[in-house]
Amino acid sequence: MDGGSDVSDGSNGDGGPVVHGFPHLDAVRAAITALYRRVSPDGVRVYDTSLAPADAAFSDVDDLHLGAQRVAGALVRHLRLPQARVVVGFRRMEHAASVELTAGPEYFIELNDRFRTHRRDIGAALAHEITHVLLHRLGLELPGTRDNEILTDTVTAYLGAGWLLLDAFRQDAVSSQKLGYLTPEEFGYVLAKRALVFGEDPSVWFTSPQAYTAYTEGRAEALRDLRRPPLTAAGWAGRRRYAKDRRHAGEHPGTAPDRSLPYAFESGADGLRVSFACPTCHQRVRLPVRGRTRARCGLCRTVLDCDT
């Protein structure tokens, strides 16, 4: 397949607003599920160590092209792309960067000319584009440009290179900069999901105060995934609402599920069942309603303590 892909450039020279919050959360969760389905849990665990800050470091005294090639090589190795040679160039362009997705083994990445003087963010731009190469080789893509770019940002973060994209988010009184399609908080959410799986703390690598704040907000959302009924870690209010909904489902079989709830009940020949998203990979898990039980997600193999 031939084609190209760009990384969004959210720079605002006039200090214009950066979108915040979690507007793409459903698409991000779908991207995590797609990654686990394509790569497998064992394949994901190969990326248990994030890209080291030293591998993406780029000082003003470094040669521009040699330095860009060095960082690109480190990202190729981190993402475990065999026999992939990345050639990096610079030109004036609308987006931050672009890559030509050809059969390989050479891939050509072009970076916006502004990176000639903003070298600290070259690694972030390259991380997104080289993840495009990885997804191209895996044959993993989602329909539509928007969802495919969200997939790329999500995979970049989940496989240990996307902390660079969040660290590229900076704001002051007169300007702002953000790379990628996810909001800063959504990047924080994906990084926190990864941290919960591998026991990392990516916040120690951030040089941007705004990135740290976005990570803490994203982490709070990721922790909420662990506290939704029917998981036993759910809070009192959630458990009480769940019991009410369970009782209603038992008394009114066939009722359409409430899409705003994180679970759904369905009646069958063997009684009432509940379905909910795995807090790790977001694959749907279906269990009989029988009280306290321990289940294993069929996709990512996470063991779940539940009270159905």
Side-chain angles (χ1 to χ4, degrees):
M1 176 178 75
D2 292 342
S5 188
D6 304 316
V7 61
S8 172
D9 186 347
S11 301
N12 298 302
D14 59 356
V18 170
V19 176
H20 286 278
F22 302 93
H24 313 112
L25 198 54
D26 287 344
V28 168
R29 288 168 172 163
I32 293 174
T33 305
L35 174 65
Y36 271 94
R37 284 177 179 164
R38 178 61 185 87
V39 179
S40 82
D42 289 338
V44 171
R45 291 189 186 99
V46 169
Y47 299 90
D48 58 347
T49 303
S50 287
L51 183 78
D55 289 336
F58 205 127
S59 74
D60 290 340
V61 299
D62 288 337
D63 179 272
L64 177 66
H65 290 88
L66 291 178
Q69 293 295 148
R70 173 182 55 79
V71 174
L75 284 160
V76 165
R77 291 188 294 274
H78 174 77
L79 292 172
R80 290 166 172 77
L81 277 163
Q83 300 176 342
R85 180 170 180 266
V86 174
V87 179
V88 183
F90 296 81
R91 70 174 177 87
R92 296 184 63 181
M93 56 196 302
E94 178 183 357
H95 295 283
S98 67
V99 60
E100 285 299 318
L101 297 176
T102 63
E106 286 192 339
Y107 294 88
F108 297 89
I109 294 178
E110 292 182 312
L111 300 181
N112 192 300
D113 257 346
R114 71 182 180 83
F115 287 111
R116 293 178 181 271
T117 54
H118 292 78
R119 299 183 179 188
R120 64 187 291 187
D121 297 320
I122 283 177
L126 288 175
H128 178 98
E129 299 305 330
I130 294 173
T131 302
H132 265 301
V133 175
L134 173 66
L135 295 177
H136 170 64
R137 289 199 164 195
L138 290 173
L140 177 55
E141 62 179 331
L142 298 179
T145 300
R146 169 188 170 275
D147 284 353
N148 212 43
E149 293 297 344
I150 289 172
L151 171 68
T152 305
D153 276 345
T154 301
V155 172
T156 307
Y158 207 88
L159 297 187
W163 66 268
L164 292 167
L165 283 159
L166 179 53
D167 197 39
F169 168 52
R170 289 184 292 276
Q171 282 184 312
D172 57 33
V174 297
S175 65
S176 62
Q177 171 186 279
K178 183 185 79 69
L179 296 178
Y181 289 75
L182 300 186
T183 68
E185 292 77 17
E186 288 167 343
F187 271 120
Y189 172 82
V190 181
L191 291 171
K193 301 287 281 190
R194 172 187 166 79
L196 289 168
V197 171
F198 295 118
E200 280 188 337
D201 180 11
S203 65
V204 298
W205 303 321
F206 296 139
T207 61
S208 163
Q210 293 81 18
Y212 181 84
T213 299
Y215 174 72
T216 59
E217 294 180 15
R219 186 174 185 273
E221 185 66 28
L223 291 174
R224 277 190 282 273
D225 288 346
L226 302 175
R227 298 192 291 263
R228 303 189 196 279
L231 300 173
T232 56
W236 177 83
R239 296 296 312 156
R240 185 177 182 183
R241 173 64 190 270
Y242 177 83
K244 177 183 176 183
D245 293 333
R246 179 180 58 198
R247 183 168 57 251
H248 182 271
E251 295 171 351
H252 302 85
T255 304
D258 184 344
R259 300 294 184 183
S260 67
L261 296 175
Y263 47 81
F265 295 99
E266 49 195 58
S267 299
D270 56 349
L272 197 64
R273 298 175 68 87
V274 63
S275 66
F276 59 98
C278 169
T280 298
C281 70
H282 298 283
Q283 169 79 16
R284 297 298 290 184
V285 177
R286 286 175 172 80
L287 298 175
V289 175
R290 295 176 182 168
R292 292 186 71 96
T293 185
R294 175 171 282 192
R296 185 186 297 272
C297 174
L299 179 56
C300 70
R301 306 174 193 156
T302 298
V303 176
L304 306 170
D305 289 315
C306 306
D307 187 352
T308 60

